[in-house]
Amino acid sequence: MSSHGTNDSHSRRTQEERNGDEIIDDNEAQVDLLRGTEKYHHESDSEKNKNKWGVAYYKGNDYAGPQDDDINPNESLVQEVSSTAVLTPLDDDLVGEEDERDNWSGRLDFLMYLLGYSVGLGNVWRFPYLAYSNGGGAFVFPFILMLFLLGIPLMFLELAFGQFAALGPAAIFDRFCPLFTGLGYGMIAISGMVALYYTVIIGWCILYLFISFTAVLPWEDCHPDWATQYCYSYSAADACSAVNGSIYFNQTCYNATSAIEGGIHHLLNTTHAERHAPAQDYFEVEILGLSSGIEVIGNVRWKVILCLAAAWTLTFLALGKGVKSTGKVVYFTALFPYLVLCILFFRGVTLPGAMDGVLYYITPRFEKLTDAKVWSDAAAQIFFALSPAWGGLITLSSYNKFHNNCLKDSLIVSFGNICTSLFAGFVIFCIIGYLAKELDMPIDKVVDEGAVNKVDIWND
């Protein structure tokens, strides 16, 4: 009896130890699943502690999950685990660390920043040129179609991806699939290279801002210090033509007698005269100091360097405190371009020839739609307009709250972006129509490679 009772007692202890080990293993499995999640959302002190300390709280206290024997604890656990557990680390050394990631102060801050990030030179400069060279109003149809096929789906995908994981491009692909880690670093490299040249453009804008505080703009006329032989001043030409028989040629006003003796009429009618606007010569010679080739370094442009330093300083000040400081600056950086566009629009429509440019813009040439290049340009413009696959959308959305409606955000920004592009087209084509009238040439010959460049004119 004693031996049999001893065996039964040993068997019961062994069974209890086995059950205890199973309970411990089950608790450890529960802790692993809960690691890195945000299970608790109540406002009591105990719940706040659970939010604050995460896994360390669970390891230091018994798990107080469902106790009903009829409920499968694994099912209830799966229901309570946050979906962010999929992309969170499971290393024991992270247990107990407090993960504090800033969030946008409000949804409007995020929308403003997203709008400012998406709207840029791609809307104001590149879209009007593509419409100019790809059928005018006919280009709008493939552009809108590509917006629905590529732009909105890709934008929503990246916003949802970054918001779901609350991680930047470098970390999110490593957690999602280590094989794709290079994609995140590639996005960072692209954004870095874009930031380098984009900040230079901002430096030029700052320099022109200071130069503009003068009674007479320096690029209104051809100045001997920077004007080339092809510089053509419209104001000087108008003043010269006001004198009977006088002709303006190569920055010189010739009277009727000198024009006949020098054969100026013959030169104007038979010579391929190349003309530069004073603004172009001022930018290329006075501001940039362009050299004859890449092998000639040229001199240091101290004005440009100082303005570039100012641009980088403003960038660091805006980003110094993360989204808390950026969310305030973005109200100016996102809305100010629209103010400038409105000013340029009302100024442009008052210029002579502006209506000709607008009619060229809104008149569709449907025969262009048979060209595959038009469709490829429309698809490429979507990537310039909404900026997907650059990593910026993932980064910005990673600071959102988990349950933010990113689909609604993507729709708002996408339609706001396309409306900005269409409105910028009216602004640019008003100016193109004015230039065509000033140069006395067809509208489709004014612009070359996306910018108002040197113009070759045959004079009648």
Side-chain angles (χ1 to χ4, degrees):
M1 292 294 293
S2 176
S3 175
H4 180 70
T6 302
N7 291 336
D8 290 343
S9 176
H10 178 71
S11 177
R12 284 194 298 271
R13 286 197 301 269
T14 303
Q15 184 65 30
E16 290 175 357
E17 291 176 357
R18 186 179 297 110
N19 292 337
D21 292 340
E22 291 177 357
I23 293 173
I24 292 175
D25 293 340
D26 186 55
N27 289 337
E28 290 297 330
Q30 292 173 352
V31 169
D32 287 338
L33 286 174
L34 290 168
R35 184 172 298 160
T37 66
E38 299 174 356
K39 171 187 171 187
Y40 299 92
H41 301 284
H42 301 292
E43 296 300 327
S44 63
D45 294 336
S46 61
E47 302 302 313
K48 289 181 179 178
N49 290 332
K50 292 176 182 179
N51 272 329
K52 179 178 181 182
W53 297 109
V55 179
Y57 182 85
Y58 301 130
K59 282 196 170 182
N61 299 274
D62 293 335
Y63 173 70
Q67 302 299 324
D68 193 344
D69 294 336
D70 296 334
I71 300 177
N72 188 339
N74 292 330
E75 291 182 1
S76 62
L77 180 62
V78 171
Q79 294 175 0
E80 294 173 357
V81 171
S82 172
S83 56
T84 56
V86 179
L87 298 180
T88 53
L90 298 178
D91 300 321
D92 289 334
D93 57 353
L94 295 180
V95 174
E97 292 186 0
E98 184 177 1
D99 185 13
E100 292 186 358
R101 185 176 181 85
D102 291 336
N103 293 115
W104 297 103
S105 300
R107 185 180 179 185
L108 187 60
D109 292 359
F110 172 67
L111 281 175
M112 287 293 101
Y113 202 103
L114 198 60
L115 189 63
Y117 174 75
S118 300
V119 176
L121 290 179
N123 305 86
V124 179
W125 189 355
R126 196 170 188 274
F127 175 80
Y129 170 67
L130 291 178
Y132 173 84
S133 58
N134 289 308
F139 180 75
V140 176
F141 172 72
F143 178 70
I144 295 178
L145 182 61
M146 292 301 172
L147 174 71
F148 285 97
L149 294 179
L150 296 176
I152 296 178
L154 287 174
M155 190 173 191
F156 173 57
L157 172 65
E158 293 201 14
L159 291 181
F161 196 30
Q163 180 175 305
F164 173 79
L167 296 170
I172 194 171
F173 285 100
D174 184 44
R175 304 279 177 83
F176 170 66
C177 180
L179 185 64
F180 296 157
T181 302
L183 291 178
Y185 289 102
M187 289 180 176
I188 295 175
I190 292 175
S191 297
M193 288 185 288
V194 170
L196 290 177
Y197 82 77
Y198 220 93
T199 309
V200 174
I201 298 176
I202 296 176
W204 293 341
C205 295
I206 294 175
L207 179 57
Y208 270 85
L209 176 64
F210 286 108
I211 295 175
S212 298
F213 286 100
T214 57
V216 179
L217 296 176
W219 54 84
E220 288 188 1
D221 295 307
C222 299
H223 198 278
D225 293 340
W226 44 263
T228 64
Q229 60 177 332
Y230 302 111
C231 185
Y232 184 85
S233 174
Y234 302 110
S235 59
D238 292 340
C240 180
S241 60
V243 181
N244 294 332
S246 298
I247 299 176
Y248 185 80
F249 181 72
N250 282 352
Q251 305 176 41
T252 304
C253 184
Y254 296 91
N255 57 33
T257 303
S258 300
I260 295 175
E261 293 177 354
I264 303 300
H265 290 283
H266 177 74
L267 292 175
L268 291 176
N269 293 328
T270 61
T271 303
H272 192 262
E274 185 179 12
R275 294 180 180 178
H276 290 181
Q280 178 182 341
D281 283 352
Y282 180 82
F283 177 70
E284 294 179 351
V285 179
E286 178 68 14
I287 301 297
L288 300 183
L290 291 180
S291 60
S292 58
I294 192 174
E295 70 281 358
V296 182
I297 298 178
N299 299 324
V300 177
R301 317 301 293 184
W302 290 106
K303 294 180 180 179
V304 178
I305 290 178
L306 292 176
C307 293
L308 180 61
W312 278 112
T313 301
L314 293 175
T315 301
F316 283 116
L317 290 177
L319 300 176
K321 295 183 179 180
V323 295
K324 299 300 182 182
S325 59
T326 307
K328 308 305 179 185
V329 177
V330 73
Y331 284 94
F332 172 79
T333 58
L335 298 178
F336 183 72
Y338 289 97
L339 175 62
V340 175
L341 280 177
C342 291
I343 294 174
L344 292 177
F345 173 76
F346 288 110
R347 177 68 180 104
V349 295
T350 61
L351 296 173
M355 187 55 63
D356 296 334
V358 172
L359 291 176
Y360 185 90
Y361 174 52
I362 64 177
T363 302
R365 289 172 289 282
F366 292 107
E367 65 276 6
K368 287 281 190 176
L369 296 180
T370 59
D371 188 358
K373 182 178 180 297
V374 176
W375 296 87
S376 64
D377 286 344
Q381 177 59 21
I382 290 297
F383 288 88
F384 278 92
L386 300 181
S387 304
W390 287 19
L393 297 177
I394 295 177
T395 302
L396 296 177
S397 63
S398 66
Y399 296 100
N400 275 337
K401 295 180 180 180
F402 184 76
H403 296 287
N404 178 63
N405 191 346
C406 55
L407 174 60
K408 187 176 181 180
D409 294 340
S410 61
L411 292 175
I412 293 174
V413 174
S414 298
F415 286 108
N417 192 290
I418 191 174
C419 291
T420 303
S421 298
L422 296 175
F423 178 66
F426 284 98
V427 176
I428 299 302
F429 273 86
C430 286
I431 300 175
I432 291 177
Y434 166 72
L435 291 176
K437 185 175 181 61
E438 288 291 314
L439 297 174
D440 192 20
M441 60 187 305
I443 294 179
D444 58 351
K445 302 297 182 181
V446 175
V447 178
D448 182 26
E449 296 299 327
V452 179
N453 206 339
K454 58 185 180 181
V455 182
D456 297 330
I457 304 175
W458 285 92
N459 291 273
D460 296 329

